[in-house]
Amino acid sequence: MTSLLDVQGYDPRTGAPVGEPVPASSAEEVDRAARAAAEAFPAWAALAAADRAAVLEAMADALDAITDELVAAADAETALGETRLRGETARTTGQLRMFADLIRRGQHVDAIISPADPAAARPDVRRMQGPIGPVAVFSASNFPLAFSVAGGDTASALAAGCTVVVKAHEGHPRTSVLVADTLRAVLGEAGLPADVLGLVHGFEAGGVLVRHPAIRAVGFTGSLRGGRALFDIASARPDPIPFYGELGSVNPVVVLPGAAHARAAAIATEYAGSLTLGAGQFCTNPGLLFVPDDTALLTELARAIAGTSTGPMLNERIRNSYVDTTGSVDLNPLAEGTPADGAWSVTPRTWSVDLESFTAELDRFTEEIFGPAGLVITYSSVGELLPTLSRLVGSLTASVHATDDEPDAAAAVAAALKPLVGRLIYNGWPTGVAVCWAMHHGGPWPASTAPTHTSVGGTALHRWQVPIAYQNWPQALLPPELRDDNPLGIPRLTQ
Amino acid sequence: MTSLLDVQGYDPRTGAPVGEPVPASSAEEVDRAARAAAEAFPAWAALAAADRAAVLEAMADALDAITDELVAAADAETALGETRLRGETARTTGQLRMFADLIRRGQHVDAIISPADPAAARPDVRRMQGPIGPVAVFSASNFPLAFSVAGGDTASALAAGCTVVVKAHEGHPRTSVLVADTLRAVLGEAGLPADVLGLVHGFEAGGVLVRHPAIRAVGFTGSLRGGRALFDIASARPDPIPFYGELGSVNPVVVLPGAAHARAAAIATEYAGSLTLGAGQFCTNPGLLFVPDDTALLTELARAIAGTSTGPMLNERIRNSYVDTTGSVDLNPLAEGTPADGAWSVTPRTWSVDLESFTAELDRFTEEIFGPAGLVITYSSVGELLPTLSRLVGSLTASVHATDDEPDAAAAVAAALKPLVGRLIYNGWPTGVAVCWAMHHGGPWPASTAPTHTSVGGTALHRWQVPIAYQNWPQALLPPELRDDNPLGIPRLTQ
């Protein structure tokens, strides 16, 4: 039995502890949480979609009602600030309501009916999606609400009919407890088992959870190293389970010559804003910026970066890693921002490198630096740029800045980047992921461990579903989604 | 450098070699095939869906045109017989045509448009599915056509826009070459690279293929041991890739008391037919049959099994494994069939065991025996049966035989089995998987390595797709599937 460290939250502005530590979950406690989620599963899965939707909306209402308390708790542990955290609360409750709306419409069960064809001796086959079972969700450090206990993974899994055990992030344990208590109270008030949503704490709890036989799938947002370790555990189980990990991303941005000439100042300002937003602690942070080498844009970039300043980073480990990594970069500094006040504040930093040097050490330059650090790569022609773009590592996003007069170049850059990313952005920046049905937030490794899936947007729900086909069942024994009279009025494909 | 054994096909009726051996592919040859598939990918992926559909249909036509030759080649290497192999040819070309039809309709790209919402500062996001890249497909032993070179995995991957390198099964190398040559000729005639479809041979080629950096996903149908080994390779890559493996399945069948009384003779005859069909060499073989202990059904089963006989098994290894495994079963024999002529013929065998003894050694009794071997478990009441059913291992299918007078028992059995299987069958047998849009052929481990996906049916195509989201792109630079005017007229969701 190894000793378990309690989980202590800290104030990034001062480095001082926030409140009492939260006890780390023992292996026995994790086992109990996973079993409880398995016991709660049949009741939750059997609820009509409309009833599950009502519970998700009640959860959203309950969180909205304690916005002040949530913002205060999260700000104390992350220093992300009130404006951001009010927005994040709204995003979190908005996600819960989006998935409630989605399952009310019934599109998510993807019902297909293939009627019998006696001539071909083909039986009646009807297929729909249902919940995969109890799942584990690993919270992220950088979204203490929207990618945490009540975040997108939890919301989509609950909507699918799965029960959830959340592994709280060590950076915001008290915020996590507050949110979990709120959701569990809503479940209890609805007459449902509170264990539809469980919470465990501590590094060691994570591995125990992913190994647990009752857990049928895992959602994860975090570092490449941590995600890979857990993916390996999930894959090495006697019965491997799906692991949906969102890991690192460098999010290349290409500024085409026309755009660089026409909008140098605006692009520079927007880039500086995107790079330093939230102290650069976004998986969609624009880590690589490709710009023409003969425009005023470099000067404008230097100006814009010099004007930046960011709040403290989320925790001491992230801060130290940023300082060490950026300190060891032996490239031409382009510009630096100003460190803000706060114990774990850092300096926004950018470097420039020409395309040839960048291409020569592609692997080294395409490792993600978590924080407000950007590499600006100068190119002389789009034709010269394309082969390098097509060799980049997988990312969540790629962006192209162009004018209406360079559609061919924009199309060529998009074609080169499309196989490498999950989202292509035109004249915009990767930070700020819109929560909408069409969003795709994923991509090839290492952006994601599961390139066929997304962790944001309406289709994120599909990660937690397994299909089942009913062959020749009497109407009375079919689920309502598949009965001839379609009592729920859901969209179905008959083919 | 290890030595590579040539791949020799054998006639299961005589044990004699069929024709000259096919050379095993060296690591260099596998590398060449994977690179060629990667080079062919952009051209194939860029084809309009209607043009890809036309090529799939031309492939189906070309295979239909050589049906006699295909049946002769496959029969020589598998001894599955002309009737079965003509049916399998039709199924194979039917699958190619089904996927052609499916991609012409455009449903498969799952287009979702989330229009901009300026009030919420939300951008325009449009999402569709596209091909994941070049993929590897491992042929199965037991379907030399329908789960082989031009089988369902290949058809669905080609339809998705992926190029494919097939690892031929060692049991039917010459059939594999014939099919691959036919498909490659069709590609050449269509002015496309023949390497849209490549073929490699030999055990060692499989591992090299799954490790190859150009390969983006793997489809596999075969044994638990082989599938697990390749799954582990795919998951341990520096960049893990999706591995869609269909492995073992015991396919429980429950006969309820009413059905056992009302239809004992018919159920017994149908069971014997399903158990021994194709010498029991189906992943949907009904390995476990649960029957009431107080009816004439056991007697009828013994009678029906005694009347069975099967052709030879597919190869010597499978035959020896069947003989060894069934020889070591220390249970009460229920009945045996008669061994047919042929070098690798075997005896259909069944045993009976009471529910309590079965439950006591569940793990041992739920290991798949590949071939015409069945375990008949006797129960005294449905209430006593349910807890055991809910502890069974994952399977592709479960079947319930009931009368109209026992809907509650049928519903209870279905509820217990539903979390464990991909398809629930009412008053039918698991063998004979209908190829239709609604079919689901998958299930929890070990039925499948990817429980969220299917290897048969319209949605099998989704295994080979990755989503991409376009944010704020001008109409002219969007793919036609996502343009406002919907020039292809495909179904889309705007939300």
Side-chain angles (χ1 to χ4, degrees):
Chain A
M1 188 78 191
T2 52
S3 74
L4 295 165
L5 294 173
D6 287 346
V7 182
Q8 174 67 62
Y10 294 90
D11 180 346
R13 294 187 181 91
T14 62
V18 176
E20 293 298 306
V22 174
S25 307
S26 66
E28 292 71 22
E29 285 165 327
V30 176
D31 176 61
R32 210 144 56 221
R35 284 171 189 271
E39 272 160 39
F41 175 70
W44 183 245
L47 270 195
D51 295 332
R52 275 209 309 276
V55 176
L56 293 178
E57 286 163 344
M59 289 175 167
D61 292 345
L63 292 173
D64 276 341
I66 59 161
T67 300
D68 290 349
E69 201 183 341
L70 280 177
V71 167
D75 190 53
E77 291 181 322
T78 65
L80 287 171
E82 180 172 343
T83 307
R84 149 74 189 268
L85 290 168
R86 284 201 183 274
E88 201 182 315
T89 305
R91 176 178 172 161
T92 305
T93 59
Q95 286 176 158
L96 285 160
R97 293 192 180 98
M98 181 187 77
F99 284 113
D101 175 45
L102 194 149
I103 63 174
R104 270 221 184 79
R105 293 162 189 255
Q107 201 110 27
H108 67 292
V109 302
D110 199 11
I112 307 179
I113 298 180
S114 295
D117 177 359
R122 201 181 78 182
D124 179 278
V125 182
R126 298 166 187 239
R127 172 249 199 215
M128 64 179 283
Q129 299 264 19
I132 195 171
V135 304
V137 164
F138 284 72
S139 292
S141 62
N142 57 345
F143 281 91
L145 302 166
F147 281 82
S148 188
V149 179
D153 284 349
T154 299
S156 55
L158 290 178
C162 297
T163 52
V164 178
V165 181
V166 177
K167 155 53 180 71
H169 194 276
E170 284 79 357
H172 49 269
R174 299 179 73 82
T175 307
S176 300
V177 170
L178 174 60
V179 172
D181 287 350
T182 306
L183 301 190
R184 289 168 62 89
V186 170
L187 288 161
E189 281 156 27
L192 290 159
D195 290 324
V196 166
L197 188 282
L199 184 67
V200 297
H201 296 272
F203 176 80
E204 290 176 42
V208 178
L209 191 58
V210 175
R211 279 185 193 93
H212 199 284
I215 296 298
R216 306 316 309 155
V218 183
F220 172 92
T221 305
S223 72
L224 179 55
R225 202 167 69 166
R228 176 82 209 211
L230 291 169
F231 170 85
D232 288 344
I233 291 174
S235 305
R237 284 169 57 123
D239 56 336
I241 55 174
F243 184 90
Y244 305 110
E246 191 219 298
L247 315 182
S249 185
V250 292
N251 304 299
V253 178
V254 176
V255 182
L256 291 178
H261 279 287
R263 301 196 300 263
I267 287 172
T269 303
E270 290 162 15
Y271 167 70
S274 182
L275 185 76
T276 59
L277 189 71
Q281 299 166 115
F282 289 112
C283 46
T284 50
N285 193 251
L288 302 177
L289 182 70
F290 295 87
V291 304
D293 58 11
D294 60 349
T295 72
L297 181 53
L298 276 177
T299 318
E300 292 289 350
L301 286 169
R303 172 198 58 75
I305 293 295
T308 61
S309 175
T310 66
M313 297 197 81
L314 289 158
N315 62 53
E316 194 167 20
R317 191 179 50 74
I318 289 177
R319 183 259 183 200
N320 290 347
S321 169
Y322 179 84
V323 170
D324 290 350
T325 313
T326 56
S328 70
V329 175
D330 55 351
L331 286 172
N332 241 1
L334 176 65
E336 288 190 2
T338 317
D341 291 338
W344 298 333
S345 287
V346 296
T347 306
R349 299 183 67 177
T350 57
W351 304 265
S352 69
V353 59
D354 63 75
L355 183 65
E356 192 181 345
S357 309
F358 174 81
T359 308
E361 294 186 81
L362 205 60
D363 288 350
R364 182 181 145 214
F365 291 136
T366 53
E367 274 184 30
E368 185 189 9
I369 300 178
F370 194 69
L375 188 56
V376 178
I377 304 103
T378 55
Y379 67 87
S380 57
S381 77
V382 173
E384 172 206 62
L385 177 60
L386 293 175
T388 296
L389 293 182
S390 63
R391 287 180 51 205
L392 290 179
V393 70
S395 273
L396 292 165
T397 73
S399 308
V400 182
H401 289 265
T403 65
D404 292 347
D405 299 332
E406 46 195 350
D408 293 346
V413 167
L417 291 170
K418 185 182 155 194
L420 305 170
V421 304
R423 177 165 54 116
L424 282 169
I425 301 155
Y426 188 79
N427 283 345
W429 299 90
T431 44
V433 182
V435 179
C436 56
W437 284 40
M439 179 49 68
H440 178 58
H441 192 61
W445 179 273
S448 166
T449 61
T452 62
H453 289 277
T454 179
S455 68
V456 179
T459 56
L461 190 145
H462 292 314
R463 295 175 297 168
W464 317 112
Q465 292 183 306
V466 286
I468 183 138
Y470 291 84
Q471 183 171 321
N472 282 348
W473 281 78
Q475 288 292 313
L477 296 179
L478 282 171
E481 289 87 345
L482 297 178
R483 282 181 206 149
D484 283 347
D485 60 351
N486 193 10
L488 303 178
I490 63 169
R492 312 193 296 193
L493 178 65
T494 300
Q495 183 67 44
Chain B
M1 186 79 190
T2 53
S3 74
L4 296 165
L5 295 174
D6 286 347
V7 182
Q8 175 67 62
Y10 295 90
D11 181 347
R13 296 187 180 91
T14 63
V18 176
E20 295 297 308
V22 174
S25 306
S26 65
E28 292 70 23
E29 285 165 329
V30 176
D31 176 60
R32 212 144 52 220
R35 283 171 190 270
E39 271 160 38
F41 175 70
W44 182 246
L47 269 194
D51 296 330
R52 276 208 307 276
V55 175
L56 293 178
E57 286 164 344
M59 288 175 167
D61 292 344
L63 292 173
D64 276 340
I66 59 162
T67 300
D68 290 349
E69 200 183 341
L70 280 177
V71 168
D75 191 53
E77 292 181 322
T78 66
L80 288 171
E82 180 170 344
T83 308
R84 149 74 189 268
L85 291 167
R86 283 199 185 277
E88 201 182 315
T89 305
R91 176 178 171 163
T92 306
T93 58
Q95 285 176 161
L96 284 160
R97 292 192 181 97
M98 182 187 77
F99 284 113
D101 175 44
L102 195 149
I103 62 173
R104 269 221 185 78
R105 294 163 189 255
Q107 202 109 26
H108 67 292
V109 303
D110 199 10
I112 307 178
I113 298 179
S114 295
D117 178 0
R122 201 181 78 183
D124 179 278
V125 182
R126 297 166 187 239
R127 173 249 198 216
M128 63 179 284
Q129 299 264 20
I132 196 172
V135 304
V137 165
F138 284 73
S139 292
S141 63
N142 56 346
F143 281 90
L145 302 166
F147 281 82
S148 188
V149 179
D153 283 349
T154 298
S156 55
L158 290 178
C162 297
T163 53
V164 177
V165 180
V166 177
K167 153 57 177 70
H169 194 275
E170 284 79 356
H172 49 270
R174 299 179 73 82
T175 307
S176 300
V177 170
L178 174 60
V179 173
D181 287 350
T182 305
L183 301 190
R184 290 169 60 90
V186 170
L187 288 161
E189 281 156 27
L192 291 159
D195 290 324
V196 166
L197 188 282
L199 185 68
V200 299
H201 296 272
F203 176 79
E204 291 177 41
V208 178
L209 192 58
V210 174
R211 280 186 194 94
H212 199 284
I215 297 299
R216 306 316 309 156
V218 183
F220 173 93
T221 305
S223 72
L224 179 54
R225 202 168 68 167
R228 175 83 210 211
L230 291 170
F231 170 85
D232 288 343
I233 291 174
S235 305
R237 285 171 54 124
D239 56 337
I241 55 175
F243 184 90
Y244 305 110
E246 191 216 301
L247 314 182
S249 185
V250 291
N251 306 298
V253 178
V254 176
V255 183
L256 291 178
H261 279 288
R263 301 196 301 264
I267 286 173
T269 303
E270 290 163 12
Y271 167 70
S274 182
L275 186 75
T276 59
L277 189 71
Q281 298 166 116
F282 289 111
C283 47
T284 51
N285 194 251
L288 302 177
L289 181 70
F290 296 87
V291 304
D293 58 11
D294 60 351
T295 73
L297 181 54
L298 276 176
T299 319
E300 292 289 349
L301 286 169
R303 172 198 59 75
I305 293 295
T308 60
S309 175
T310 65
M313 298 197 80
L314 288 159
N315 62 53
E316 195 168 18
R317 191 178 50 72
I318 288 177
R319 183 258 181 202
N320 290 347
S321 169
Y322 178 84
V323 171
D324 291 351
T325 313
T326 56
S328 70
V329 176
D330 55 352
L331 287 173
N332 240 1
L334 176 65
E336 287 191 2
T338 317
D341 292 337
W344 297 333
S345 287
V346 297
T347 306
R349 299 182 70 174
T350 57
W351 304 264
S352 69
V353 59
D354 64 74
L355 183 65
E356 192 181 346
S357 309
F358 174 81
T359 308
E361 294 186 78
L362 205 60
D363 287 348
R364 182 181 145 214
F365 291 136
T366 52
E367 274 185 30
E368 185 188 10
I369 300 178
F370 194 69
L375 188 55
V376 178
I377 304 102
T378 55
Y379 67 86
S380 57
S381 77
V382 174
E384 173 206 62
L385 178 60
L386 293 174
T388 297
L389 293 182
S390 63
R391 287 180 52 205
L392 291 179
V393 69
S395 274
L396 293 165
T397 72
S399 309
V400 182
H401 289 265
T403 66
D404 291 347
D405 298 332
E406 46 196 350
D408 292 347
V413 168
L417 291 171
K418 185 182 155 192
L420 304 170
V421 305
R423 178 164 53 116
L424 282 170
I425 301 156
Y426 187 80
N427 284 344
W429 300 90
T431 45
V433 182
V435 177
C436 57
W437 283 41
M439 178 50 66
H440 179 59
H441 192 62
W445 178 273
S448 165
T449 60
T452 60
H453 288 278
T454 179
S455 69
V456 180
T459 55
L461 190 145
H462 292 313
R463 295 175 295 167
W464 318 112
Q465 292 183 305
V466 284
I468 182 138
Y470 292 83
Q471 182 172 322
N472 281 349
W473 282 78
Q475 288 292 313
L477 295 181
L478 282 171
E481 290 87 346
L482 297 178
R483 283 181 205 148
D484 282 346
D485 60 352
N486 194 8
L488 303 178
I490 62 169
R492 311 193 297 193
L493 178 66
T494 300
Q495 184 66 45

